[in-house]
């Protein structure tokens, strides 16, 4: 294939939002696309990708934020430029006042869309069952109220919060880069070094250390974590039963082992099997 694809995982997510600014990690994700010192025009990256058969996107998870793009990769000079543009997201984002104000509208629009999504509504209920002292219980998406109105009322400068969050968490030692392209490994390595070596390495700690030892479920929760069935009125015409088993690991090593062996996936396959004598075949009787 002549296509190239690139992804950067930054090991920080919405669990690291300051308590006073719900949605800050997600807002930071949006802002990195809106101009850098080397490429200050807000839409220049998207325009470049559009001219080279590409596209980009990103998402903010609880402990990670992932940025990615694809483009026609056969022309080495174009791919090299794409990598440099992308790399500047993580070394020199501008966070301009003008873009900060405008991008709040995009966050607000995204949240309003989520309000009518049963998937997001169920997710927020699940977070309400989490321990309120654990960051999983936070409101991850953010909206105009949490990012602008509440911060203004508390005398918090939103742009300063963005810059502080970036400086505190966007460090090379907490990032992982993946590149797939037609060029040789040596060529890709050379281009990657040129494009990403300016990213500061502040040797920051893993974000999850901040809530180590805090149980994610049980304790102080808005909705009881265990022993209760929650009935939800859906937006769409849905009929579902959802059973959840929170799995807590005794150590980071146990978590890494689970990611390798995927025992939970094996159990889920057994429960989700739809063949003869399966749970589904029994429920259909």
């Amino acid at each position: 294939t002549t296509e190239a694809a690139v992804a950067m995982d930054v090991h920080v997510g919405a669990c690291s939002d300051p308590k006073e600014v719900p949605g800050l990690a997600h807002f930071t994700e949006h802002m990195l696309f809106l101009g850098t010192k080397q490429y200050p025009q807000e839409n220049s990256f998207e325009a470049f990708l559009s001219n080279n058969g590409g596209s980009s996107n990103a998402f903010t998870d609880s402990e990670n934020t992932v940025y990615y793009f694809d483009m026609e990769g056969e022309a080495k000079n174009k791919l090299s430029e794409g990598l440099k543009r992308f790399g500047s997201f993580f070394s020199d984002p501008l966070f301009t006042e003008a873009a900060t104000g405008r991008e709040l509208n995009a966050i607000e629009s995204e949240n309003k869309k989520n309000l009518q999504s049963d998937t997001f509504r169920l997710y927020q209920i699940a977070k309400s069952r989490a321990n309120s002292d654990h960051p999983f219980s936070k409101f991850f998406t953010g909206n105009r109220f949490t990012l602008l109105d509440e911060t203004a009322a508390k005398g918090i400068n939103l742009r300063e919060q963005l810059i502080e969050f970036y400086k505190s968490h966007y460090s090379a030692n907490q990032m992982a880069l993946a590149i797939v392209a037609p060029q040789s490994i040596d060529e890709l390595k050379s281009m990657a070094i040129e494009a990403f070596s300016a990213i500061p390495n502040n040797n920051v700690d893993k974000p999850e250390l901040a809530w180590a030892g805090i149980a994610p479920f049980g304790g102080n929760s808005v909705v009881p974590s265990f022993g209760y069935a929650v009935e939800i009125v859906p937006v769409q015409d849905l009929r579902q039963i959802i059973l959840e088993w929170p799995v807590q690991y005794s150590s980071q090593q146990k978590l890494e082992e689970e990611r390798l062996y995927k025992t939970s996936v094996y159990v889920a396959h057994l429960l989700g099997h739809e063949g003869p004598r399966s749970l589904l075949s029994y429920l259909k009787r």
Side-chain angles (χ1 to χ4, degrees):
T1 178
T2 61
E3 187 176 20
V6 183
M8 176 71 88
D9 180 292
V10 184
H11 184 43
V12 66
C15 278
S16 297
D17 282 346
K19 186 177 181 180
E20 301 80 9
V21 195
L24 186 63
H26 182 214
F27 193 36
T28 303
E29 170 220 307
H30 277 239
M31 291 299 299
L32 259 63
F33 284 89
L34 301 180
T36 66
K37 288 183 180 179
Q38 296 92 330
Y39 307 97
Q41 287 188 318
E42 289 183 16
N43 65 343
S44 66
F45 186 60
E46 293 305 317
F48 169 80
L49 292 178
S50 179
N51 291 333
N52 289 278
S55 62
S56 68
N57 212 331
F59 63 87
T60 302
D61 209 335
S62 56
E63 297 182 11
N64 294 277
T65 307
V66 179
Y67 303 79
Y68 56 94
F69 75 94
D70 61 76
M71 62 177 287
E72 176 59 46
E74 194 168 22
K76 181 179 177 180
N77 64 322
K78 290 295 185 181
L79 176 58
S80 179
E81 181 180 351
L83 291 172
K84 289 176 184 177
R85 288 177 174 273
F86 189 58
S88 70
F89 283 19
F90 311 102
S91 57
D92 294 300
L94 288 178
F95 298 116
T96 65
E97 291 278 6
T100 300
R102 285 194 302 274
E103 198 59 20
L104 281 168
N105 295 325
I107 297 288
E108 177 70 11
S109 177
E110 185 174 340
N111 183 63
K112 284 184 176 179
K113 171 180 64 67
N114 293 344
L115 294 177
Q116 300 304 310
S117 166
D118 285 306
T119 298
F120 277 94
R121 289 158 69 94
L122 286 167
Y123 184 48
Q124 196 60 42
I125 289 292
K127 290 156 71 62
S128 296
R129 303 187 78 167
N131 182 356
S132 297
D133 296 325
H134 191 279
F136 179 69
S137 65
K138 293 177 179 178
F139 173 43
F140 285 178
T141 307
N143 57 22
R144 177 175 284 274
F145 177 73
T146 66
L147 291 168
L148 181 62
D149 298 343
E150 279 199 322
T151 55
K154 296 173 183 176
I156 297 172
N157 184 296
L158 181 56
R159 181 172 180 268
E160 290 179 0
Q161 287 289 310
L162 282 166
I163 294 171
E164 178 60 28
F165 186 87
Y166 164 77
K167 289 182 176 179
S168 298
H169 298 290
Y170 276 63
S171 174
N173 72 306
Q174 296 297 332
M175 297 184 186
L177 175 69
I179 304 173
V180 177
Q183 287 75 20
S184 69
I185 294 295
D186 287 340
E187 288 177 303
L188 293 176
K189 181 178 178 180
S190 177
M191 285 189 282
I193 290 172
E194 184 178 8
F196 297 96
S197 60
I199 298 174
N201 182 3
N202 300 317
N203 289 311
V204 301
D205 291 331
K206 294 179 179 180
E208 60 268 26
L209 294 178
W211 55 87
I214 302 175
F217 291 93
N220 181 29
S221 60
V222 177
V223 179
S225 297
F226 305 113
Y228 287 82
V230 179
E231 297 182 355
I232 302 171
V233 178
V235 175
Q236 297 180 325
D237 186 17
L238 297 176
R239 301 291 186 274
Q240 292 181 340
I241 296 177
I242 300 174
L243 302 176
E244 294 183 334
W245 292 270
V247 179
Q248 299 182 40
Y249 299 97
S250 58
S251 66
Q252 184 66 25
Q253 181 181 352
K254 291 291 185 182
L255 175 59
E256 295 300 332
E257 288 176 357
E258 164 59 22
R259 287 173 173 168
L260 178 62
Y261 299 123
K262 301 186 185 299
T263 51
S264 60
V265 176
Y266 183 77
V267 173
H269 176 75
L270 292 176
L271 293 174
H273 181 55
E274 299 182 0
R277 302 179 67 182
S278 65
L279 177 60
L280 179 66
S281 66
Y282 173 79
L283 292 173
K284 281 186 172 181
R285 291 180 185 176

